[in-house]
Amino acid sequence: MTTEEILQNIYGFSELRPSQKAVIEAIETGRDVLALLPTGGGKSLCYQLPVLKAAGRALVVTPLISLMEDQVAELKRLRLKAVCIHSYLDIREKRLIYHQLQDYQFIFCSPEWLATDKARATVAQLNLTHMVIDEAHCISEWGYDFRPHYLLLHEIIKPGMQVIALTATADDKIIRDINQLLRRELLLIDKREERRNIFLSVCKSPDKLKEIESLLDTSGPTIIYFSSKKRCNEVHQLLSKRYKGMTYHADMTYEDRMSVQLAFLGDRIHYVCATSAFGMGVNKSNVRTVVHYHTPKSVLQYIQEVGRAGRDGEEAQAILLYDEEDLHLSYRLLQEEHLSESDFNLYLNGAQLTAEKMERLSILRANFPDREVLNVLRKEYHTKLAALRKMAEYGQLTACLSHQLYNGEQSCTHCEYCQGRRLFTFETFKEVHENDDRVAYIKSLFKQG
């Protein structure tokens, strides 16, 4: 089928967005491609259409189970053959999937699964035409830290397999890291753009809870981000006395997290108090407000998270509740999470570190000489420290906020510094009394194409 026939017959579209067209045309040249598109810019179609047109089979690496399942459910809705493999599947489910893997055109998995012997033996038997890496910035941002299996992806890429990496979040360092760690030279297609429909503001209120409560009366569907799971739960407990919402963080079960996503997507709750994992794969176009209770770790993280507002192109707002004391939490988390030179020396001398640190250091040593490992650890620490300082500058509101995020013009029409404080009145949340659609969602995952 032609591009036009695939668009019309499968997706129900008459044409591509200009940014999507540029990315797809680059992929169809056969080059390995790194595509940078804004949040909500239609990244999934950019890899799906070329795979379908080539009658190929793609291995799609994604960082979160929720992201996998969201995309698999959507592909199955389109009657396309897709499946995901993750740790929450039981042995029988995995056995059935392995047995039928040749029947699927899109196979979703995590980098951790790809590091297992079973996965490598299975993948080696598949006739894969494409390796797709969704949220590709994770290779750089997470690969050196708590998700080191991203550093092993290059071992899966075989000759003749085209690499398609996609992300909305990248700076020059991340782009270099993606090329170096995948050991490929990817053609860069940068179609990111400033989200001018999102009004940016910073609030330094001494009472963050009171500020959030005043916002929720007119905020529309809202995400409130936290760096602390404890504070996330505490604030939700206080807000839930007046508003209908839920929490989302890593300590929750898979089933509970799915329930939160479905409730939010279905407009059955007003807000979600969440840590940074929430939002990837949550294809909700009408989020009107994104609030950051704590200052995030970097401008790139902030851009990605505020980009979950206003994906329908309508007006939205992003508010940072800035407090210098919060930066101490961020600095402490950085100290706790990063691998130090001391950790590396202890490891070389046979000391028993935590299992997580042992695995991270083992993978780093497999990819770099010992002297280079130390350089990598130092560079990553200082990069993250600099990123925190840049977010502190943003929080102190001394220049155009949009310029500080996007490095564009020094004056804009959509930030508090340039336009003054704005008060938005979005549609008041109305509780929708519907049957929980988890059953329909789960059925969609097993719908035959």
Side-chain angles (χ1 to χ4, degrees), residues 101-254:
L101 216 48
Q102 289 281 4
D103 297 333
Y104 294 102
Q105 201 161 7
F106 298 94
I107 302 164
F108 292 77
C109 66
S110 69
E112 286 79 11
W113 178 74
L114 285 173
T116 66
D117 292 339
K118 173 69 174 176
R120 295 195 173 210
T122 302
V123 168
Q125 296 172 10
L126 296 171
N127 182 25
L128 293 169
T129 57
H130 297 78
M131 162 81 90
V132 177
I133 304 161
D134 201 7
E135 307 294 347
H137 62 279
C138 295
I139 295 172
S140 173
E141 289 198 339
W142 293 356
Y144 300 113
D145 294 321
F146 70 104
R147 303 278 302 265
H149 297 93
Y150 269 105
L151 304 186
L152 303 178
L153 290 181
H154 68 92
E155 298 177 0
I156 304 299
I157 304 168
K158 304 300 180 188
M161 192 185 298
Q162 186 180 13
V163 176
I164 305 170
L166 307 112
T167 182
T169 310
D171 56 16
D172 290 344
K173 176 191 176 298
I174 289 174
I175 293 167
R176 285 195 304 272
D177 282 350
I178 290 170
N179 281 281
Q180 290 172 3
L181 295 173
L182 291 180
R183 302 186 185 180
R184 293 279 184 117
E185 190 64 39
L186 282 74
L187 175 64
L188 178 65
I189 306 295
D190 189 348
K191 292 298 177 180
R192 290 171 296 177
E193 57 189 30
E194 198 171 329
R195 296 286 302 282
R196 293 182 172 85
N197 64 313
I198 304 173
F199 193 86
L200 306 169
S201 60
V202 174
C203 176
K204 297 182 180 179
S205 170
D207 190 339
K208 292 187 180 185
L209 181 65
K210 184 177 180 180
E211 189 69 29
I212 292 171
E213 287 177 329
S214 68
L215 280 167
L216 285 176
D217 289 329
T218 57
S219 68
T222 300
I223 305 173
I224 308 167
Y225 282 110
F226 297 79
S227 298
S228 159
K229 287 177 284 189
K230 180 182 177 183
R231 190 59 182 152
C232 178
N233 287 328
E234 290 171 348
V235 170
H236 165 62
Q237 289 300 319
L238 295 167
L239 292 177
S240 62
K241 296 173 183 177
R242 287 186 57 193
Y243 307 97
K244 189 171 179 63
M246 301 174 84
T247 58
Y248 185 105
H249 53 70
D251 287 348
M252 296 166 60
T253 66
Y254 165 68

